[in-house]
Amino acid sequence: GDLAGDRRHSIRQKTHHSEPRPGAEMTSRALAAYVGITEQNLSLLKSGKVKGIRFDTLAKICQALECQPGDILAWEAINALS
């Protein structure tokens, strides 16, 4: 599909899971340390306030949480206000 036009697109972290992930008991501090990012950057990722993520960072998060990217990311269209 065409991404041009008056709509912006974003990938956000999913916040609802139908069943607990094996790595769900990992603390944010431990996850950030494992991935090699700061807790602040992890918090920004969780809130959806980032515009991108490196594939190696995503891979490490998925490895730590024993999940697939589609388990933690969702695509959504955002209507542009300007």
Side-chain angles (χ1 to χ4, degrees):
D2 182 22
L3 296 180
D6 62 344
R7 293 167 56 115
R8 293 177 10 167
H9 301 84
S10 178
I11 294 179
R12 304 261 185 213
Q13 178 176 347
K14 292 181 182 179
T15 54
H16 303 288
H17 302 281
S18 57
E19 54 191 59
R21 297 176 317 280
E25 66 280 354
M26 180 177 280
T27 65
S28 291
R29 177 174 290 184
L31 180 59
Y34 181 86
V35 173
I37 61 175
T38 65
E39 286 183 74
Q40 181 179 8
N41 283 340
L42 181 60
S43 177
L44 291 171
L45 283 170
K46 287 181 175 183
S47 69
K49 294 181 181 180
V50 296
K51 294 188 180 204
I53 183 171
R54 293 173 50 111
F55 285 121
D56 62 331
T57 301
L58 179 59
K60 285 181 181 179
I61 291 171
C62 289
Q63 182 180 26
L65 298 179
E66 299 178 21
C67 66
Q68 295 295 315
D71 296 334
I72 59 174
L73 299 177
W75 178 89
E76 65 182 40
I78 303 170
N79 290 328
L81 299 175
S82 54

